[in-house]
Each structure stands twice: as C-alpha cells, then as structure tokens.
Amino acid sequence: MKKWAFFFISILIIGLIILSYKYVEANTKAQNLQNSIDAKFKAELSFTRDSFNVKMNDYAYRSILSRVSTVASISEITSYEDQNDNLDISLYNLYVALNNDRSKEKVLSRADELRDIFMMLVTNPASKEATDKLMQINDETFFRD
C-alpha cells in the first residue's frame, strides 16, 4: 500500500511540475505577443505622426487616412488601452472625421496640432492628455458644423 501511495504522490508532484511549467510558458508567450502588439502600435503611431509632416495632396491624404485607420484598429488590443480607455475611441473618431468629406478639411487644417499629438502618443501611447486633445479636435471639427 505504501508503494502505491508513494507512486501516486510522485505522479501528482510530476504533474504539478509539468502544469506549472506549461503555465509559465503560456504566460511568457502571451507577454511576448502583447509586447509585439505594443511595439507595432508604437511604430504605426510614429508613421502616422510622420504622415502629417508632408505637403498635403491626394496621395498624402490617403496615406494619413490609412495610417489613422491602422492605429485605431490596433489600439484596442494594446496594453495602453487598459491604461487609457479613450485611446481607441479618440483614434477611431479621428478616422471617421478624416473619412467624412464635410470635416476632413477642418481636421487637416490642424495637421500641426495632430502631428504634436501623435508625437505625445509616440512618447507615451497611454497619454490621457493626447487623447483629450484628439477628442477636442474631433468635437470641434467633426461633431460640429
């Protein structure tokens, strides 16, 4: 009977060790994936900021629209969204404003401000100040006539 108890306890301990190892391994993979998403988001923020540096023409405008769409879609799955709940909303609203013919000129007239906001976001992607400023621009240019 003692042999069976020893055998059972040994199997149980080995199982717990394996489960612990798998748990740590899964957490490491999840953290690596989150780090990769966050790095991609920061790179896209930088590209978006740079898009506001060029002389505005049809190609540059489409590039801005594409970049803002990309950062808005990625923002929801970043760790920065956990720190600043308005991050995805403010970026999505900017995309909607840029995509609307009635407001795009008003938004683009504030390209310098937008570049500065994206500079803040590149430095600190969870910046509440930056998202507040984005929301303000959205409110003043898209949500008003």
Side-chain angles (χ1 to χ4, degrees), residues 30-42:
Q31 188 59 49
N32 288 342
L33 178 60
Q34 189 63 60
N35 291 343
S36 175
I37 291 168
D38 289 350
K40 173 69 173 168
F41 181 67
K42 285 185 83 168

Side-chain angles (χ1 to χ4, degrees), residues 62-124:
R62 281 185 272 160
S63 175
I64 287 172
L65 192 60
S66 173
R67 295 288 182 194
V68 171
S69 174
T70 301
V71 295
S73 63
I74 295 173
S75 66
E76 191 172 338
I77 59 174
T78 67
S79 64
Y80 308 116
E81 174 65 21
D82 295 337
Q83 301 166 39
N84 182 354
D85 198 37
N86 286 334
L87 182 62
D88 62 334
I89 295 166
S90 62
L91 291 168
Y92 177 74
N93 286 348
L94 178 61
Y95 169 74
V96 170
L98 286 168
N99 204 29
N100 185 296
D101 288 335
R102 285 188 356 216
S103 61
K104 81 177 180 185
E105 291 304 319
K106 291 183 207 173
V107 174
L108 291 175
S109 70
R110 300 176 83 170
D112 291 338
E113 289 176 79
L114 290 167
R115 183 181 52 250
D116 292 343
I117 290 168
F118 278 97
M119 176 57 100
M120 280 193 281
L121 287 171
V122 168
T123 306
N124 176 13

Side-chain angles (χ1 to χ4, degrees), residues 50-64 108 111-112 115:
D50 294 344
S51 294
F52 285 102
N53 283 332
V54 298
K55 184 179 178 193
M56 201 52 58
N57 59 29
D58 193 46
Y59 175 77
Y61 171 74
R62 281 185 272 160
S63 175
I64 287 172
L108 291 175
D112 291 338
R115 183 181 52 250

Side-chain angles (χ1 to χ4, degrees), residues 7 18 21 35 38 44 98 100 109 140 144:
F7 178 73
I18 290 171
Y21 174 76
N35 291 343
D38 289 350
E44 289 297 330
L98 286 168
N100 185 296
S109 70
E140 292 172 358
R144 290 188 190 163

